[in-house]
Amino acid sequence: MKLYGLIGFPLSHSFSKKFFAEKFEREKIDDCKYELFPIEHIKELIPLLHENPDLCGLNVTVPYKMDVLKYLDWIEHDARGAGAVNCIRISAESPVLAAFTGEVGVKGHDFRLEGYNTDIYGFEMSLKPLLKGHHDQALVLGDGGAAKAVKCVLDNLGIEFKCVTRKPIPGNILFSDLRPHHLKDNKLVINTTPIGMSPNINECPPIPYDAITNENLLYDLIYNPEQTLFLKKGEERGAVTKNGYEMLVLQAEKSWEIWTSKAKHP
């Protein structure tokens, strides 16, 4: 039985477990299972791998998308650039072979951990069909771990952006300093904060919503509720809106593709 799973803390509810359980049933994949592994500290990762030798892949969620990097033997280019990993491929590694190839695992462990960021793929593939020529500048609401994949995609697409935060960070804009012209100049607005996530459905990021027009595109990484107050206010003013559900599905399918790929990396 091949084992896959999700690490993070806490893991009270998980899109991934439900998604993969349904996928395995639908596609009649009966030699795989997906479990939740709530670990209170990232240092528990290596003991977890030793205790579960059938593990072939892990998804990584908050708060470990950045902390996990130091445990990995190889990190894909965009994931390294973003500074965050949400997908790990685990493969057996012969210590003898590793010595010959120079690929000795971190801490000398006898498995190889490869890091990827499938959030990057999920966000890009779900955003691109909505982009128009005037979406050449963006506001990224928040600048935490969730914003890393978003910023990587915007860089790759050549879209200039500014991050908006509550606390002053060099180069960022403060929420309290946002004015209507910011929404006019930056017609793409992406919410990477948890503001508005269930159960706090009556909250929304503090931006000048009255300045939104039908030229704006509002994207919310949140998928529960399906329509956040942020998206609702945008829709009421004619903006195109998108929630994070498709991004989640795409990143999960990309994780599966990586875990089951035969490709070898240097």
Side-chain angles (χ1 to χ4, degrees), residues 143-185:
D143 198 11
K148 290 185 175 294
V150 168
K151 294 193 288 184
C152 179
V153 169
L154 296 178
D155 274 334
N156 289 345
L157 295 176
I159 297 174
E160 295 181 18
F161 63 87
K162 283 282 189 182
C163 289
V164 186
T165 48
R166 291 186 181 278
K167 297 178 180 178
I169 297 174
N172 288 2
I173 303 172
L174 287 171
F175 273 105
S176 56
D177 288 340
L178 279 182
R179 298 294 181 265
H181 72 85
H182 288 110
L183 276 296
K184 182 179 180 183
D185 296 340

Side-chain angles (χ1 to χ4, degrees), residues 155-219:
D155 274 334
N156 289 345
L157 295 176
I159 297 174
E160 295 181 18
F161 63 87
K162 283 282 189 182
C163 289
V164 186
T165 48
R166 291 186 181 278
K167 297 178 180 178
I169 297 174
N172 288 2
I173 303 172
L174 287 171
F175 273 105
S176 56
D177 288 340
L178 279 182
R179 298 294 181 265
H181 72 85
H182 288 110
L183 276 296
K184 182 179 180 183
D185 296 340
N186 302 274
K187 292 187 168 59
L188 172 58
V189 186
I190 304 148
N191 178 40
T192 72
T193 77
I195 301 172
M197 183 185 297
S198 181
N200 304 311
I201 60 173
N202 294 319
E203 298 178 3
C204 61
I207 66 173
Y209 290 96
D210 286 343
I212 291 172
T213 71
N214 59 6
E215 290 195 333
N216 287 103
L217 167 57
L218 271 57
Y219 192 115

Side-chain angles (χ1 to χ4, degrees), residues 8 11-12 16 29 34 67 87 121 132 168 185 187 217-218 220 238 255 266:
L11 295 177
S12 54
S16 298
I29 301 170
Y34 192 100
D67 293 343
C87 173
Y121 172 83
K132 296 186 177 178
D185 296 340
K187 292 187 168 59
L217 167 57
L218 271 57
D220 201 330
S255 291

Side-chain angles (χ1 to χ4, degrees), residues 45-179:
L45 173 61
I46 301 303
L48 173 72
L49 295 172
H50 285 298
E51 291 162 14
N52 296 274
D54 294 333
L55 264 173
C56 300
L58 285 170
N59 288 125
V60 184
T61 189
V62 292
Y64 303 131
K65 290 185 181 185
M66 291 171 277
D67 293 343
V68 77
L69 268 65
K70 61 181 175 285
Y71 292 92
L72 305 178
D73 301 301
W74 179 87
I75 303 172
E76 186 272 333
H77 174 266
D78 274 352
R80 185 180 294 278
V85 158
N86 76 317
C87 173
I88 300 172
R89 184 164 80 161
I90 305 160
S91 57
E93 179 183 67
S94 160
V96 176
L97 180 62
F100 277 113
T101 61
E103 293 180 3
V104 179
V106 175
K107 309 296 184 189
H109 55 230
D110 56 355
F111 39 77
R112 176 177 165 83
L113 304 180
E114 298 174 0
Y116 302 81
N117 192 314
T118 62
D119 286 335
I120 292 172
Y121 172 83
F123 178 65
E124 182 170 349
M125 291 301 104
S126 61
L127 175 69
K128 279 171 72 173
L130 304 175
L131 293 175
K132 296 186 177 178
H134 57 268
H135 296 133
D136 55 351
Q137 294 186 101
L139 292 177
V140 179
L141 309 182
D143 198 11
K148 290 185 175 294
V150 168
K151 294 193 288 184
C152 179
V153 169
L154 296 178
D155 274 334
N156 289 345
L157 295 176
I159 297 174
E160 295 181 18
F161 63 87
K162 283 282 189 182
C163 289
V164 186
T165 48
R166 291 186 181 278
K167 297 178 180 178
I169 297 174
N172 288 2
I173 303 172
L174 287 171
F175 273 105
S176 56
D177 288 340
L178 279 182
R179 298 294 181 265

Side-chain angles (χ1 to χ4, degrees), residues 27-45:
E27 299 180 16
K28 296 181 171 53
I29 301 170
D30 52 14
D31 62 342
C32 297
K33 62 179 179 178
Y34 192 100
E35 301 290 348
L36 301 183
F37 298 103
I39 57 175
E40 292 191 40
H41 194 283
I42 191 60
K43 67 184 179 184
E44 297 173 38
L45 173 61

